[in-house]
């Protein structure tokens, strides 16, 4: 095996925070310590790299936040890093602090940033997929997705209680940007009457067909992804067009889905991917994302990591069965 001696790893979290990021940070520090590698954390994502804002990471300290949502390193969507000037400043920080490898936890935008940085900085980079949206190829699940779905379910279950009591139609909007994964998973698990996702054009037609015959003798739950081209407000007005008597409310779950303690699955994913990221760096790998495919660790070059827009056939069939 081609091993290289790394002495100082820099780590940062970038883009939207997601539950499980702290578990990954803990695992990175723990695994680096076992290899006698120093670990520093850059605060606020790429902003910390540009400003030289870094702190020393110790596993015994990070252990205490393993169970917490958010990221102890803070995060940001850095505009400055999009500019070459910002990346040059980041390079100065790397050199000044003798950082000889970088691990970034974030979404596809974070990895694109690393690709751009690799044009001027030749130390190895490894990415860990961290976003609630689950929209990245090269891994079955991204860090935070499972927790976000659990939060969505918990809240939609509560909405059902009040919806059933009033025989109301509820449209619940969930996050996911342009990916329908949170909507599909949470919608199926709360027994939604309709699930609307950006990836499907047919779901709206099913919804209108179904709601036409809705007799207000029960609740009627619609879960809609924020990225759906129709959107919660338009869905609401279309429902009222086909069935003017409905008593309808809209709830947008919003950022509540990003917070909260990570689920068991996300803690485990954070630990596995955190350790894997240090291992692959030590093996001489670079410019790739660690993920889990079919329960096996998998390395995907950044160039092949794309935003996942496809919903597999089996999930579509579930949507049709439960949404019609
Ligand atoms: O990418 C994660 C995510 O939570 C999306 O689901 C959502 O569209 C977006 O971030 C919200 O971003 P912000 O926190 O910047 O408003």
């Amino acid at each position: 095996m081609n091993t290289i001696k790394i002495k100082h790893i820099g780590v940062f979290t970038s883009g939207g925070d997601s539950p499980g990021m702290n578990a990954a940070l803990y695992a990175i520090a723990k695994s680096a310590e076992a290899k006698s590698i120093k670990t520093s954390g850059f605060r606020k994502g790429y902003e910390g790299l540009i400003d030289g804002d870094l702190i020393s990471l110790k596993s015994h300290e990070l252990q205490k936040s393993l169970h917490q949502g958010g990221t102890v390193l803070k995060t940001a969507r850095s505009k400055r890093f999009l500019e070459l000037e910002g990346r040059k400043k980041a390079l100065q920080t790397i050199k000044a602090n003798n950082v000889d490898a970088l691990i970034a936890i974030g979404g596809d935008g974070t990895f694109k940033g690393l690709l751009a940085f690799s044009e001027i900085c030749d130390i190895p980079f490894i990415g860990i997929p961290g976003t609630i949206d689950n929209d990245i190829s090269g891994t079955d699940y991204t860090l935070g997705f499972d927790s976000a779905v659990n939060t969505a379910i918990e809240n939609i279950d509560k909405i059902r209680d009040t919806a059933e009591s009033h025989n109301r139609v509820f449209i619940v909007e969930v996050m996911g940007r342009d990916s329908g994964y949170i909507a599909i998973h949470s919608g199926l698990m709360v027994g939604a009457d309709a699930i609307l996702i950006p990836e499907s054009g047919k779901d709206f037609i099913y919804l209108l067909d179904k709601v036409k015959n809705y007799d207000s003798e029960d609740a009627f739950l619609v879960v809609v992804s924020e990225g759906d081209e129709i959107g919660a407000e338009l869905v609401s007005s279309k429902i009222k067009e086909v069935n003017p008597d409905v008593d309808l409310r809209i709830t947008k779950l919003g950022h509540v889905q990003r917070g909260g303690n990570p689920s068991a699955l996300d803690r485990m994913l954070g630990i596995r991917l955190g350790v894997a990221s240090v291992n692959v760096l030590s093996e001489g790998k670079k410019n790739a994302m660690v993920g889990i495919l079919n329960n096996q660790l998998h390395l995907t070059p950044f160039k092949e990591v794309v935003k996942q827009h496809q919903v597999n056939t089996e999930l579509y069939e579930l949507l049709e069965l439960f949404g019609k």
Side-chain angles (χ1 to χ4, degrees):
M1 197 181 294
N2 173 25
T3 55
I4 57 162
K5 188 62 201 152
I6 288 173
K7 296 195 187 94
H8 187 187
I9 294 179
V11 189
F12 63 96
T13 48
S14 171
D17 57 284
S18 64
M21 283 182 164
N22 288 330
L25 293 172
Y26 165 56
I28 290 167
K30 183 86 180 166
S31 153
E33 282 161 14
K35 294 179 191 299
S36 304
I37 299 172
K38 180 177 161 189
T39 313
S40 296
F42 290 98
R43 287 156 39 88
K44 299 189 228 145
Y46 285 114
E47 293 288 297
L49 265 177
I50 295 170
D51 296 332
D53 181 2
L54 72 167
I55 52 171
S56 172
L57 296 184
K58 299 275 177 273
S59 69
H60 71 272
E61 287 165 6
L62 292 166
Q63 195 172 10
K64 299 179 185 51
S65 44
L66 151 74
H67 67 292
Q68 288 169 346
T71 161
V72 291
L73 276 184
K74 315 259 179 193
T75 186
R77 303 187 198 279
S78 173
K79 290 209 171 63
R80 288 192 292 161
F81 198 77
L82 296 176
E83 307 297 328
L84 181 60
E85 208 43 46
R87 297 199 288 277
K88 281 185 179 165
K89 282 194 177 144
L91 180 61
Q92 283 166 14
T93 303
I94 297 276
K95 285 186 176 158
N97 292 282
N98 296 318
V99 172
D100 48 23
L102 263 189
I103 299 174
I105 310 175
D108 72 315
T110 303
F111 305 146
K112 281 191 188 126
L114 285 180
L115 260 184
F117 198 31
S118 69
E119 284 165 18
I120 59 164
C121 180
D122 62 1
I123 65 168
F125 304 144
I126 290 295
I128 294 180
T131 164
I132 62 165
D133 299 338
N134 206 35
D135 58 352
I136 296 176
S137 62
T139 190
D140 288 334
Y141 295 106
T142 55
L143 215 46
F145 168 69
D146 184 64
S147 307
V149 169
N150 277 300
T151 300
I153 292 170
E154 194 185 323
N155 284 283
I156 303 170
D157 285 347
K158 289 178 181 166
I159 288 169
R160 179 180 281 287
D161 290 344
T162 173
E164 293 287 0
S165 305
H166 287 264
N167 289 340
R168 275 180 172 154
V169 173
F170 258 88
I171 299 169
V172 185
E173 185 187 280
V174 295
M175 275 189 167
R177 212 179 277 276
D178 44 13
S179 152
Y181 269 93
I182 297 179
I184 297 173
H185 285 245
S186 59
L188 286 173
M189 285 183 264
V190 298
D193 296 284
I195 301 167
L196 306 185
I197 58 167
E199 295 89 343
S200 167
K202 287 191 277 179
D203 45 17
F204 190 53
I205 301 164
Y206 298 151
L207 162 67
L208 291 185
D209 271 354
K210 205 169 180 179
V211 83
K212 243 185 250 165
N213 305 316
Y214 166 66
D215 57 8
S216 300
E217 287 302 315
D218 257 326
F220 189 96
L221 283 184
V222 182
V223 173
V224 55
S225 174
E226 64 176 356
D228 187 82
E229 67 284 3
I230 314 262
E233 279 77 15
L234 196 56
V235 172
S236 154
S237 56
K238 291 284 176 194
I239 290 178
K240 283 183 182 157
E241 267 175 34
V242 296
N243 196 337
D245 299 329
V246 296
D247 187 9
L248 186 150
R249 297 288 185 274
I250 297 176
T251 298
K252 297 189 179 187
L253 291 187
H255 287 79
V256 72
Q257 294 158 99
R258 282 245 293 266
N261 296 352
S263 64
L265 200 146
D266 279 327
R267 293 179 201 202
M268 194 61 190
L269 194 58
I271 286 176
R272 287 177 80 182
L273 296 183
V275 170
S277 62
V278 176
N279 284 344
V280 297
L281 277 174
S282 306
E283 288 163 11
K285 308 275 175 26
K286 61 179 186 177
N287 296 349
M289 182 196 85
V290 285
I292 304 272
L293 284 177
N294 299 323
N295 207 22
Q296 299 291 319
L297 285 167
H298 197 84
L299 203 61
T300 309
F302 285 141
K303 285 195 176 123
E304 289 167 28
V305 175
V306 287
K307 235 179 159 181
Q308 186 83 267
H309 287 293
Q310 282 167 355
V311 173
N312 71 36
T313 322
E314 187 213 338
L315 281 182
Y316 266 128
E317 284 169 7
L318 291 179
L319 276 187
E320 293 200 4
L321 178 64
F322 290 97
K324 263 197 214 170

